[in-house]
PDB file of all heavy atoms in Angstrom:
ATOM      1  N   ALA A 181       4.813   9.868   3.702  1.00  0.00           N
ATOM      2  CA  ALA A 181       4.953   9.023   2.508  1.00  0.00           C
ATOM      3  C   ALA A 181       6.410   8.856   2.080  1.00  0.00           C
ATOM      4  O   ALA A 181       6.802   7.790   1.589  1.00  0.00           O
ATOM      5  CB  ALA A 181       4.127   9.599   1.367  1.00  0.00           C
ATOM      6  N   ALA A 182       7.224   9.880   2.263  1.00  0.00           N
ATOM      7  CA  ALA A 182       8.614   9.806   1.820  1.00  0.00           C
ATOM      8  C   ALA A 182       9.466   8.940   2.749  1.00  0.00           C
ATOM      9  O   ALA A 182      10.556   8.504   2.350  1.00  0.00           O
ATOM     10  CB  ALA A 182       9.211  11.218   1.758  1.00  0.00           C
ATOM     11  N   ASN A 183       8.950   8.651   3.964  1.00  0.00           N
ATOM     12  CA  ASN A 183       9.766   7.959   4.958  1.00  0.00           C
ATOM     13  C   ASN A 183       9.250   6.589   5.363  1.00  0.00           C
ATOM     14  O   ASN A 183      10.031   5.751   5.822  1.00  0.00           O
ATOM     15  CB  ASN A 183       9.870   8.813   6.229  1.00  0.00           C
ATOM     16  CG  ASN A 183      10.337  10.224   5.956  1.00  0.00           C
ATOM     17  OD1 ASN A 183      11.106  10.461   5.028  1.00  0.00           O
ATOM     18  ND2 ASN A 183       9.872  11.181   6.752  1.00  0.00           N
ATOM     19  N   ILE A 184       7.970   6.357   5.228  1.00  0.00           N
ATOM     20  CA  ILE A 184       7.358   5.177   5.834  1.00  0.00           C
ATOM     21  C   ILE A 184       7.818   3.878   5.173  1.00  0.00           C
ATOM     22  O   ILE A 184       7.980   3.790   3.958  1.00  0.00           O
ATOM     23  CB  ILE A 184       5.814   5.293   5.788  1.00  0.00           C
ATOM     24  CG1 ILE A 184       5.177   4.241   6.697  1.00  0.00           C
ATOM     25  CG2 ILE A 184       5.289   5.185   4.362  1.00  0.00           C
ATOM     26  CD1 ILE A 184       3.690   4.460   6.920  1.00  0.00           C
ATOM     27  N   ASN A 185       8.073   2.877   6.018  1.00  0.00           N
ATOM     28  CA  ASN A 185       8.389   1.526   5.568  1.00  0.00           C
ATOM     29  C   ASN A 185       7.226   0.625   5.944  1.00  0.00           C
ATOM     30  O   ASN A 185       6.804   0.610   7.112  1.00  0.00           O
ATOM     31  CB  ASN A 185       9.659   1.007   6.246  1.00  0.00           C
ATOM     32  CG  ASN A 185      10.932   1.724   5.822  1.00  0.00           C
ATOM     33  OD1 ASN A 185      12.019   1.319   6.183  1.00  0.00           O
ATOM     34  ND2 ASN A 185      10.818   2.809   5.073  1.00  0.00           N
ATOM     35  N   THR A 186       6.696  -0.126   4.987  1.00  0.00           N
ATOM     36  CA  THR A 186       5.583  -1.028   5.240  1.00  0.00           C
ATOM     37  C   THR A 186       5.871  -2.365   4.560  1.00  0.00           C
ATOM     38  O   THR A 186       6.926  -2.549   3.958  1.00  0.00           O
ATOM     39  CB  THR A 186       4.262  -0.435   4.718  1.00  0.00           C
ATOM     40  OG1 THR A 186       4.362  -0.229   3.292  1.00  0.00           O
ATOM     41  CG2 THR A 186       3.961   0.901   5.386  1.00  0.00           C
ATOM     42  N   TYR A 187       4.914  -3.281   4.623  1.00  0.00           N
ATOM     43  CA  TYR A 187       5.163  -4.603   4.038  1.00  0.00           C
ATOM     44  C   TYR A 187       3.920  -5.258   3.448  1.00  0.00           C
ATOM     45  O   TYR A 187       4.000  -6.350   2.889  1.00  0.00           O
ATOM     46  CB  TYR A 187       5.753  -5.543   5.105  1.00  0.00           C
ATOM     47  CG  TYR A 187       4.895  -5.640   6.356  1.00  0.00           C
ATOM     48  CD1 TYR A 187       3.791  -6.481   6.417  1.00  0.00           C
ATOM     49  CD2 TYR A 187       5.183  -4.869   7.474  1.00  0.00           C
ATOM     50  CE1 TYR A 187       3.003  -6.553   7.550  1.00  0.00           C
ATOM     51  CE2 TYR A 187       4.410  -4.936   8.620  1.00  0.00           C
ATOM     52  CZ  TYR A 187       3.319  -5.781   8.655  1.00  0.00           C
ATOM     53  OH  TYR A 187       2.538  -5.843   9.771  1.00  0.00           O
ATOM     54  N   GLY A 188       2.756  -4.638   3.604  1.00  0.00           N
ATOM     55  CA  GLY A 188       1.510  -5.274   3.215  1.00  0.00           C
ATOM     56  C   GLY A 188       1.197  -5.222   1.732  1.00  0.00           C
ATOM     57  O   GLY A 188       2.036  -4.868   0.903  1.00  0.00           O
ATOM     58  N   PRO A 189      -0.034  -5.543   1.343  1.00  0.00           N
ATOM     59  CA  PRO A 189      -0.443  -5.594  -0.068  1.00  0.00           C
ATOM     60  C   PRO A 189      -0.271  -4.265  -0.803  1.00  0.00           C
ATOM     61  O   PRO A 189      -0.070  -4.242  -2.013  1.00  0.00           O
ATOM     62  CB  PRO A 189      -1.914  -5.988   0.003  1.00  0.00           C
ATOM     63  CG  PRO A 189      -2.083  -6.638   1.331  1.00  0.00           C
ATOM     64  CD  PRO A 189      -1.122  -5.962   2.247  1.00  0.00           C
ATOM     65  N   TYR A 190      -0.366  -3.168  -0.056  1.00  0.00           N
ATOM     66  CA  TYR A 190      -0.197  -1.843  -0.655  1.00  0.00           C
ATOM     67  C   TYR A 190       0.921  -1.076   0.045  1.00  0.00           C
ATOM     68  O   TYR A 190       1.230  -1.326   1.203  1.00  0.00           O
ATOM     69  CB  TYR A 190      -1.490  -1.029  -0.560  1.00  0.00           C
ATOM     70  CG  TYR A 190      -2.550  -1.438  -1.562  1.00  0.00           C
ATOM     71  CD1 TYR A 190      -3.480  -2.428  -1.242  1.00  0.00           C
ATOM     72  CD2 TYR A 190      -2.614  -0.851  -2.829  1.00  0.00           C
ATOM     73  CE1 TYR A 190      -4.445  -2.812  -2.161  1.00  0.00           C
ATOM     74  CE2 TYR A 190      -3.582  -1.234  -3.749  1.00  0.00           C
ATOM     75  CZ  TYR A 190      -4.490  -2.213  -3.406  1.00  0.00           C
ATOM     76  OH  TYR A 190      -5.443  -2.598  -4.322  1.00  0.00           O
ATOM     77  N   ALA A 191       1.496  -0.142  -0.685  1.00  0.00           N
ATOM     78  CA  ALA A 191       2.479   0.793  -0.122  1.00  0.00           C
ATOM     79  C   ALA A 191       1.878   2.192  -0.178  1.00  0.00           C
ATOM     80  O   ALA A 191       0.972   2.470  -0.984  1.00  0.00           O
ATOM     81  CB  ALA A 191       3.790   0.736  -0.905  1.00  0.00           C
ATOM     82  N   LEU A 192       2.375   3.085   0.666  1.00  0.00           N
ATOM     83  CA  LEU A 192       1.879   4.461   0.691  1.00  0.00           C
ATOM     84  C   LEU A 192       2.608   5.278  -0.369  1.00  0.00           C
ATOM     85  O   LEU A 192       3.816   5.481  -0.288  1.00  0.00           O
ATOM     86  CB  LEU A 192       2.103   5.067   2.077  1.00  0.00           C
ATOM     87  CG  LEU A 192       1.533   6.473   2.297  1.00  0.00           C
ATOM     88  CD1 LEU A 192       0.014   6.466   2.162  1.00  0.00           C
ATOM     89  CD2 LEU A 192       1.945   6.996   3.668  1.00  0.00           C
ATOM     90  N   LYS A 193       1.866   5.744  -1.358  1.00  0.00           N
ATOM     91  CA  LYS A 193       2.456   6.527  -2.444  1.00  0.00           C
ATOM     92  C   LYS A 193       2.479   8.017  -2.123  1.00  0.00           C
ATOM     93  O   LYS A 193       3.458   8.720  -2.386  1.00  0.00           O
ATOM     94  CB  LYS A 193       1.691   6.290  -3.742  1.00  0.00           C
ATOM     95  CG  LYS A 193       2.245   7.051  -4.938  1.00  0.00           C
ATOM     96  CD  LYS A 193       1.445   6.745  -6.202  1.00  0.00           C
ATOM     97  CE  LYS A 193       2.000   7.506  -7.403  1.00  0.00           C
ATOM     98  NZ  LYS A 193       1.216   7.220  -8.637  1.00  0.00           N
ATOM     99  N   ASP A 194       1.369   8.501  -1.551  1.00  0.00           N
ATOM    100  CA  ASP A 194       1.278   9.941  -1.254  1.00  0.00           C
ATOM    101  C   ASP A 194       0.306  10.156  -0.107  1.00  0.00           C
ATOM    102  O   ASP A 194      -0.699   9.461   0.008  1.00  0.00           O
ATOM    103  CB  ASP A 194       0.798  10.705  -2.494  1.00  0.00           C
ATOM    104  CG  ASP A 194       0.604  12.193  -2.201  1.00  0.00           C
ATOM    105  OD1 ASP A 194       1.617  12.902  -2.067  1.00  0.00           O
ATOM    106  OD2 ASP A 194      -0.558  12.623  -2.072  1.00  0.00           O
ATOM    107  N   TRP A 195       0.612  11.126   0.739  1.00  0.00           N
ATOM    108  CA  TRP A 195      -0.297  11.539   1.808  1.00  0.00           C
ATOM    109  C   TRP A 195      -0.288  13.056   1.860  1.00  0.00           C
ATOM    110  O   TRP A 195       0.569  13.679   2.466  1.00  0.00           O
ATOM    111  CB  TRP A 195       0.133  10.941   3.140  1.00  0.00           C
ATOM    112  CG  TRP A 195      -0.838  11.194   4.262  1.00  0.00           C
ATOM    113  CD1 TRP A 195      -2.074  11.770   4.191  1.00  0.00           C
ATOM    114  CD2 TRP A 195      -0.635  10.869   5.642  1.00  0.00           C
ATOM    115  NE1 TRP A 195      -2.654  11.823   5.421  1.00  0.00           N
ATOM    116  CE2 TRP A 195      -1.808  11.276   6.330  1.00  0.00           C
ATOM    117  CE3 TRP A 195       0.411  10.282   6.356  1.00  0.00           C
ATOM    118  CZ2 TRP A 195      -1.934  11.108   7.713  1.00  0.00           C
ATOM    119  CZ3 TRP A 195       0.281  10.114   7.730  1.00  0.00           C
ATOM    120  CH2 TRP A 195      -0.891  10.518   8.398  1.00  0.00           C
ATOM    121  N   SER A 196      -1.245  13.659   1.173  1.00  0.00           N
ATOM    122  CA  SER A 196      -1.416  15.108   1.190  1.00  0.00           C
ATOM    123  C   SER A 196      -2.403  15.422   2.303  1.00  0.00           C
ATOM    124  O   SER A 196      -3.624  15.267   2.126  1.00  0.00           O
ATOM    125  CB  SER A 196      -1.943  15.611  -0.162  1.00  0.00           C
ATOM    126  OG  SER A 196      -1.028  15.306  -1.198  1.00  0.00           O
ATOM    127  N   HIS A 197      -1.886  15.816   3.441  1.00  0.00           N
ATOM    128  CA  HIS A 197      -2.708  15.970   4.636  1.00  0.00           C
ATOM    129  C   HIS A 197      -3.910  16.885   4.384  1.00  0.00           C
ATOM    130  O   HIS A 197      -3.810  17.930   3.755  1.00  0.00           O
ATOM    131  CB  HIS A 197      -1.862  16.517   5.779  1.00  0.00           C
ATOM    132  CG  HIS A 197      -0.826  15.536   6.248  1.00  0.00           C
ATOM    133  ND1 HIS A 197      -1.092  14.526   7.132  1.00  0.00           N
ATOM    134  CD2 HIS A 197       0.486  15.393   5.906  1.00  0.00           C
ATOM    135  CE1 HIS A 197       0.003  13.821   7.345  1.00  0.00           C
ATOM    136  NE2 HIS A 197       0.977  14.324   6.606  1.00  0.00           N
ATOM    137  N   ASP A 198      -5.059  16.426   4.904  1.00  0.00           N
ATOM    138  CA  ASP A 198      -6.336  17.135   4.783  1.00  0.00           C
ATOM    139  C   ASP A 198      -6.892  17.122   3.358  1.00  0.00           C
ATOM    140  O   ASP A 198      -7.930  17.748   3.106  1.00  0.00           O
ATOM    141  CB  ASP A 198      -6.216  18.590   5.262  1.00  0.00           C
ATOM    142  CG  ASP A 198      -5.816  18.680   6.726  1.00  0.00           C
ATOM    143  OD1 ASP A 198      -6.320  17.866   7.518  1.00  0.00           O
ATOM    144  OD2 ASP A 198      -4.997  19.555   7.057  1.00  0.00           O
ATOM    145  N   GLU A 199      -6.218  16.460   2.443  1.00  0.00           N
ATOM    146  CA  GLU A 199      -6.706  16.404   1.061  1.00  0.00           C
ATOM    147  C   GLU A 199      -6.940  14.973   0.590  1.00  0.00           C
ATOM    148  O   GLU A 199      -8.051  14.603   0.210  1.00  0.00           O
ATOM    149  CB  GLU A 199      -5.723  17.100   0.119  1.00  0.00           C
ATOM    150  CG  GLU A 199      -5.593  18.603   0.351  1.00  0.00           C
ATOM    151  CD  GLU A 199      -4.624  19.246  -0.615  1.00  0.00           C
ATOM    152  OE1 GLU A 199      -4.191  18.571  -1.578  1.00  0.00           O
ATOM    153  OE2 GLU A 199      -4.284  20.433  -0.414  1.00  0.00           O
ATOM    154  N   SER A 200      -5.890  14.146   0.593  1.00  0.00           N
ATOM    155  CA  SER A 200      -6.039  12.790   0.069  1.00  0.00           C
ATOM    156  C   SER A 200      -4.870  11.915   0.496  1.00  0.00           C
ATOM    157  O   SER A 200      -3.832  12.407   0.946  1.00  0.00           O
ATOM    158  CB  SER A 200      -6.112  12.810  -1.462  1.00  0.00           C
ATOM    159  OG  SER A 200      -4.877  13.239  -2.009  1.00  0.00           O
ATOM    160  N   VAL A 201      -5.047  10.607   0.333  1.00  0.00           N
ATOM    161  CA  VAL A 201      -3.986   9.633   0.556  1.00  0.00           C
ATOM    162  C   VAL A 201      -4.070   8.616  -0.573  1.00  0.00           C
ATOM    163  O   VAL A 201      -5.159   8.214  -0.973  1.00  0.00           O
ATOM    164  CB  VAL A 201      -4.117   8.955   1.940  1.00  0.00           C
ATOM    165  CG1 VAL A 201      -5.441   8.205   2.064  1.00  0.00           C
ATOM    166  CG2 VAL A 201      -2.950   8.034   2.209  1.00  0.00           C
ATOM    167  N   THR A 202      -2.913   8.244  -1.124  1.00  0.00           N
ATOM    168  CA  THR A 202      -2.883   7.332  -2.268  1.00  0.00           C
ATOM    169  C   THR A 202      -2.029   6.111  -1.961  1.00  0.00           C
ATOM    170  O   THR A 202      -0.918   6.229  -1.450  1.00  0.00           O
ATOM    171  CB  THR A 202      -2.328   8.040  -3.524  1.00  0.00           C
ATOM    172  OG1 THR A 202      -3.184   9.135  -3.855  1.00  0.00           O
ATOM    173  CG2 THR A 202      -2.270   7.084  -4.705  1.00  0.00           C
ATOM    174  N   PHE A 203      -2.557   4.948  -2.317  1.00  0.00           N
ATOM    175  CA  PHE A 203      -1.864   3.682  -2.124  1.00  0.00           C
ATOM    176  C   PHE A 203      -1.571   3.051  -3.481  1.00  0.00           C
ATOM    177  O   PHE A 203      -2.361   3.185  -4.418  1.00  0.00           O
ATOM    178  CB  PHE A 203      -2.709   2.708  -1.290  1.00  0.00           C
ATOM    179  CG  PHE A 203      -3.354   3.352  -0.110  1.00  0.00           C
ATOM    180  CD1 PHE A 203      -4.664   3.798  -0.168  1.00  0.00           C
ATOM    181  CD2 PHE A 203      -2.648   3.534   1.054  1.00  0.00           C
ATOM    182  CE1 PHE A 203      -5.259   4.408   0.906  1.00  0.00           C
ATOM    183  CE2 PHE A 203      -3.236   4.143   2.150  1.00  0.00           C
ATOM    184  CZ  PHE A 203      -4.537   4.586   2.085  1.00  0.00           C
ATOM    185  N   ILE A 204      -0.472   2.353  -3.560  1.00  0.00           N
ATOM    186  CA  ILE A 204      -0.087   1.682  -4.795  1.00  0.00           C
ATOM    187  C   ILE A 204       0.250   0.232  -4.471  1.00  0.00           C
ATOM    188  O   ILE A 204       0.752  -0.079  -3.383  1.00  0.00           O
ATOM    189  CB  ILE A 204       1.112   2.398  -5.461  1.00  0.00           C
ATOM    190  CG1 ILE A 204       1.409   1.795  -6.826  1.00  0.00           C
ATOM    191  CG2 ILE A 204       2.340   2.385  -4.560  1.00  0.00           C
ATOM    192  CD1 ILE A 204       2.405   2.621  -7.641  1.00  0.00           C
ATOM    193  N   VAL A 205      -0.042  -0.666  -5.393  1.00  0.00           N
ATOM    194  CA  VAL A 205       0.197  -2.086  -5.170  1.00  0.00           C
ATOM    195  C   VAL A 205       1.669  -2.341  -4.832  1.00  0.00           C
ATOM    196  O   VAL A 205       2.573  -1.778  -5.455  1.00  0.00           O
ATOM    197  CB  VAL A 205      -0.197  -2.902  -6.421  1.00  0.00           C
ATOM    198  CG1 VAL A 205       0.425  -4.291  -6.379  1.00  0.00           C
ATOM    199  CG2 VAL A 205      -1.703  -3.030  -6.503  1.00  0.00           C
ATOM    200  N   ASN A 206       1.873  -3.179  -3.833  1.00  0.00           N
ATOM    201  CA  ASN A 206       3.216  -3.622  -3.478  1.00  0.00           C
ATOM    202  C   ASN A 206       3.541  -4.851  -4.325  1.00  0.00           C
ATOM    203  O   ASN A 206       3.017  -5.932  -4.064  1.00  0.00           O
ATOM    204  CB  ASN A 206       3.275  -3.962  -1.986  1.00  0.00           C
ATOM    205  CG  ASN A 206       4.576  -4.625  -1.578  1.00  0.00           C
ATOM    206  OD1 ASN A 206       5.546  -4.660  -2.335  1.00  0.00           O
ATOM    207  ND2 ASN A 206       4.594  -5.178  -0.363  1.00  0.00           N
ATOM    208  N   PRO A 207       4.393  -4.736  -5.333  1.00  0.00           N
ATOM    209  CA  PRO A 207       4.676  -5.870  -6.214  1.00  0.00           C
ATOM    210  C   PRO A 207       5.430  -6.989  -5.517  1.00  0.00           C
ATOM    211  O   PRO A 207       5.510  -8.110  -6.050  1.00  0.00           O
ATOM    212  CB  PRO A 207       5.530  -5.240  -7.322  1.00  0.00           C
ATOM    213  CG  PRO A 207       6.202  -4.079  -6.655  1.00  0.00           C
ATOM    214  CD  PRO A 207       5.196  -3.552  -5.686  1.00  0.00           C
ATOM    215  N   PHE A 208       5.956  -6.721  -4.316  1.00  0.00           N
ATOM    216  CA  PHE A 208       6.709  -7.732  -3.593  1.00  0.00           C
ATOM    217  C   PHE A 208       5.815  -8.531  -2.633  1.00  0.00           C
ATOM    218  O   PHE A 208       6.295  -9.431  -1.952  1.00  0.00           O
ATOM    219  CB  PHE A 208       7.868  -7.082  -2.826  1.00  0.00           C
ATOM    220  CG  PHE A 208       8.812  -6.333  -3.724  1.00  0.00           C
ATOM    221  CD1 PHE A 208       8.745  -4.939  -3.831  1.00  0.00           C
ATOM    222  CD2 PHE A 208       9.738  -7.005  -4.511  1.00  0.00           C
ATOM    223  CE1 PHE A 208       9.603  -4.245  -4.669  1.00  0.00           C
ATOM    224  CE2 PHE A 208      10.598  -6.317  -5.354  1.00  0.00           C
ATOM    225  CZ  PHE A 208      10.527  -4.927  -5.439  1.00  0.00           C
ATOM    226  N   TRP A 209       4.515  -8.156  -2.597  1.00  0.00           N
ATOM    227  CA  TRP A 209       3.548  -8.948  -1.817  1.00  0.00           C
ATOM    228  C   TRP A 209       2.987 -10.013  -2.754  1.00  0.00           C
ATOM    229  O   TRP A 209       2.108  -9.748  -3.567  1.00  0.00           O
ATOM    230  CB  TRP A 209       2.438  -8.069  -1.252  1.00  0.00           C
ATOM    231  CG  TRP A 209       1.424  -8.846  -0.449  1.00  0.00           C
ATOM    232  CD1 TRP A 209       0.273  -9.403  -0.901  1.00  0.00           C
ATOM    233  CD2 TRP A 209       1.502  -9.165   0.950  1.00  0.00           C
ATOM    234  NE1 TRP A 209      -0.387 -10.053   0.108  1.00  0.00           N
ATOM    235  CE2 TRP A 209       0.354  -9.921   1.259  1.00  0.00           C
ATOM    236  CE3 TRP A 209       2.418  -8.881   1.952  1.00  0.00           C
ATOM    237  CZ2 TRP A 209       0.099 -10.401   2.543  1.00  0.00           C
ATOM    238  CZ3 TRP A 209       2.173  -9.357   3.229  1.00  0.00           C
ATOM    239  CH2 TRP A 209       1.025 -10.104   3.523  1.00  0.00           C
ATOM    240  N   ALA A 210       3.487 -11.225  -2.635  1.00  0.00           N
ATOM    241  CA  ALA A 210       3.078 -12.298  -3.546  1.00  0.00           C
ATOM    242  C   ALA A 210       1.676 -12.801  -3.247  1.00  0.00           C
ATOM    243  O   ALA A 210       1.042 -13.440  -4.099  1.00  0.00           O
ATOM    244  CB  ALA A 210       4.084 -13.452  -3.453  1.00  0.00           C
ATOM    245  N   GLY A 211       1.195 -12.511  -2.049  1.00  0.00           N
ATOM    246  CA  GLY A 211      -0.127 -12.983  -1.663  1.00  0.00           C
ATOM    247  C   GLY A 211      -0.051 -14.248  -0.840  1.00  0.00           C
ATOM    248  O   GLY A 211       0.889 -15.040  -0.962  1.00  0.00           O
ATOM    249  N   THR A 212      -1.029 -14.423   0.038  1.00  0.00           N
ATOM    250  CA  THR A 212      -1.153 -15.638   0.848  1.00  0.00           C
ATOM    251  C   THR A 212      -2.549 -16.197   0.609  1.00  0.00           C
ATOM    252  O   THR A 212      -3.386 -15.540  -0.027  1.00  0.00           O
ATOM    253  CB  THR A 212      -0.978 -15.325   2.349  1.00  0.00           C
ATOM    254  OG1 THR A 212      -2.161 -14.649   2.828  1.00  0.00           O
ATOM    255  CG2 THR A 212       0.248 -14.458   2.600  1.00  0.00           C
ATOM    256  N   PRO A 213      -2.838 -17.395   1.103  1.00  0.00           N
ATOM    257  CA  PRO A 213      -4.202 -17.932   0.929  1.00  0.00           C
ATOM    258  C   PRO A 213      -5.274 -17.050   1.555  1.00  0.00           C
ATOM    259  O   PRO A 213      -6.447 -17.144   1.187  1.00  0.00           O
ATOM    260  CB  PRO A 213      -4.119 -19.296   1.626  1.00  0.00           C
ATOM    261  CG  PRO A 213      -2.681 -19.684   1.540  1.00  0.00           C
ATOM    262  CD  PRO A 213      -1.931 -18.396   1.698  1.00  0.00           C
ATOM    263  N   TYR A 214      -4.865 -16.193   2.481  1.00  0.00           N
ATOM    264  CA  TYR A 214      -5.843 -15.372   3.195  1.00  0.00           C
ATOM    265  C   TYR A 214      -5.756 -13.890   2.840  1.00  0.00           C
ATOM    266  O   TYR A 214      -6.719 -13.147   3.025  1.00  0.00           O
ATOM    267  CB  TYR A 214      -5.663 -15.561   4.711  1.00  0.00           C
ATOM    268  CG  TYR A 214      -5.835 -16.991   5.133  1.00  0.00           C
ATOM    269  CD1 TYR A 214      -4.731 -17.842   5.230  1.00  0.00           C
ATOM    270  CD2 TYR A 214      -7.089 -17.515   5.391  1.00  0.00           C
ATOM    271  CE1 TYR A 214      -4.894 -19.176   5.595  1.00  0.00           C
ATOM    272  CE2 TYR A 214      -7.260 -18.841   5.760  1.00  0.00           C
ATOM    273  CZ  TYR A 214      -6.158 -19.667   5.847  1.00  0.00           C
ATOM    274  OH  TYR A 214      -6.324 -20.981   6.205  1.00  0.00           O
ATOM    275  N   ILE A 215      -4.599 -13.443   2.361  1.00  0.00           N
ATOM    276  CA  ILE A 215      -4.441 -12.054   1.913  1.00  0.00           C
ATOM    277  C   ILE A 215      -3.837 -12.104   0.514  1.00  0.00           C
ATOM    278  O   ILE A 215      -2.614 -12.082   0.350  1.00  0.00           O
ATOM    279  CB  ILE A 215      -3.526 -11.234   2.848  1.00  0.00           C
ATOM    280  CG1 ILE A 215      -3.967 -11.364   4.303  1.00  0.00           C
ATOM    281  CG2 ILE A 215      -3.546  -9.758   2.438  1.00  0.00           C
ATOM    282  CD1 ILE A 215      -3.073 -10.615   5.287  1.00  0.00           C
ATOM    283  N   PRO A 216      -4.677 -12.201  -0.514  1.00  0.00           N
ATOM    284  CA  PRO A 216      -4.162 -12.338  -1.877  1.00  0.00           C
ATOM    285  C   PRO A 216      -3.535 -11.047  -2.392  1.00  0.00           C
ATOM    286  O   PRO A 216      -3.680  -9.985  -1.782  1.00  0.00           O
ATOM    287  CB  PRO A 216      -5.416 -12.690  -2.680  1.00  0.00           C
ATOM    288  CG  PRO A 216      -6.540 -12.084  -1.894  1.00  0.00           C
ATOM    289  CD  PRO A 216      -6.142 -12.216  -0.458  1.00  0.00           C
ATOM    290  N   ALA A 217      -2.823 -11.156  -3.497  1.00  0.00           N
ATOM    291  CA  ALA A 217      -2.267  -9.962  -4.141  1.00  0.00           C
ATOM    292  C   ALA A 217      -3.422  -9.087  -4.614  1.00  0.00           C
ATOM    293  O   ALA A 217      -4.436  -9.594  -5.116  1.00  0.00           O
ATOM    294  CB  ALA A 217      -1.392 -10.368  -5.316  1.00  0.00           C
ATOM    295  N   PRO A 218      -3.326  -7.777  -4.458  1.00  0.00           N
ATOM    296  CA  PRO A 218      -4.426  -6.870  -4.843  1.00  0.00           C
ATOM    297  C   PRO A 218      -4.718  -6.903  -6.340  1.00  0.00           C
ATOM    298  O   PRO A 218      -3.827  -7.153  -7.152  1.00  0.00           O
ATOM    299  CB  PRO A 218      -3.900  -5.492  -4.422  1.00  0.00           C
ATOM    300  CG  PRO A 218      -2.818  -5.753  -3.443  1.00  0.00           C
ATOM    301  CD  PRO A 218      -2.203  -7.048  -3.857  1.00  0.00           C
ATOM    302  N   GLN A 219      -5.964  -6.618  -6.679  1.00  0.00           N
ATOM    303  CA  GLN A 219      -6.380  -6.556  -8.082  1.00  0.00           C
ATOM    304  C   GLN A 219      -6.554  -5.124  -8.564  1.00  0.00           C
ATOM    305  O   GLN A 219      -6.726  -4.879  -9.745  1.00  0.00           O
ATOM    306  CB  GLN A 219      -7.696  -7.319  -8.267  1.00  0.00           C
ATOM    307  CG  GLN A 219      -7.586  -8.804  -7.924  1.00  0.00           C
ATOM    308  CD  GLN A 219      -6.541  -9.516  -8.769  1.00  0.00           C
ATOM    309  OE1 GLN A 219      -6.610  -9.502  -9.992  1.00  0.00           O
ATOM    310  NE2 GLN A 219      -5.556 -10.130  -8.118  1.00  0.00           N
ATOM    311  N   ILE A 220      -6.543  -4.168  -7.640  1.00  0.00           N
ATOM    312  CA  ILE A 220      -6.668  -2.758  -7.989  1.00  0.00           C
ATOM    313  C   ILE A 220      -5.284  -2.126  -7.890  1.00  0.00           C
ATOM    314  O   ILE A 220      -4.639  -2.182  -6.842  1.00  0.00           O
ATOM    315  CB  ILE A 220      -7.657  -2.034  -7.063  1.00  0.00           C
ATOM    316  CG1 ILE A 220      -9.029  -2.708  -7.143  1.00  0.00           C
ATOM    317  CG2 ILE A 220      -7.777  -0.563  -7.440  1.00  0.00           C
ATOM    318  CD1 ILE A 220     -10.053  -2.128  -6.203  1.00  0.00           C
ATOM    319  N   ALA A 221      -4.818  -1.545  -8.988  1.00  0.00           N
ATOM    320  CA  ALA A 221      -3.433  -1.077  -9.055  1.00  0.00           C
ATOM    321  C   ALA A 221      -3.150   0.086  -8.122  1.00  0.00           C
ATOM    322  O   ALA A 221      -2.083   0.162  -7.523  1.00  0.00           O
ATOM    323  CB  ALA A 221      -3.093  -0.685 -10.492  1.00  0.00           C
TER     324      ALA A 221
END
């Protein structure tokens, strides 16, 4: 999580191995006609 670079609708906020993984909305993903901006924060 501290190193990964991504570009999609969500970014990786936390990855606690064997416990959980958390995603947060990427505010720089404006959305496309086929992949809209996420509605879940």
Side-chain angles (χ1 to χ4, degrees):
N183 307 329
I184 193 169
N185 292 188
T186 61
Y187 55 82
Y190 284 90
L192 185 63
K193 181 179 180 180
D194 176 73
W195 186 7
S196 299
H197 292 277
D198 299 320
E199 294 181 10
S200 66
V201 61
T202 299
F203 316 97
I204 187 169
V205 163
N206 171 12
F208 302 101
W209 180 268
T212 73
Y214 301 93
I215 309 178
Q219 298 301 303
I220 302 176

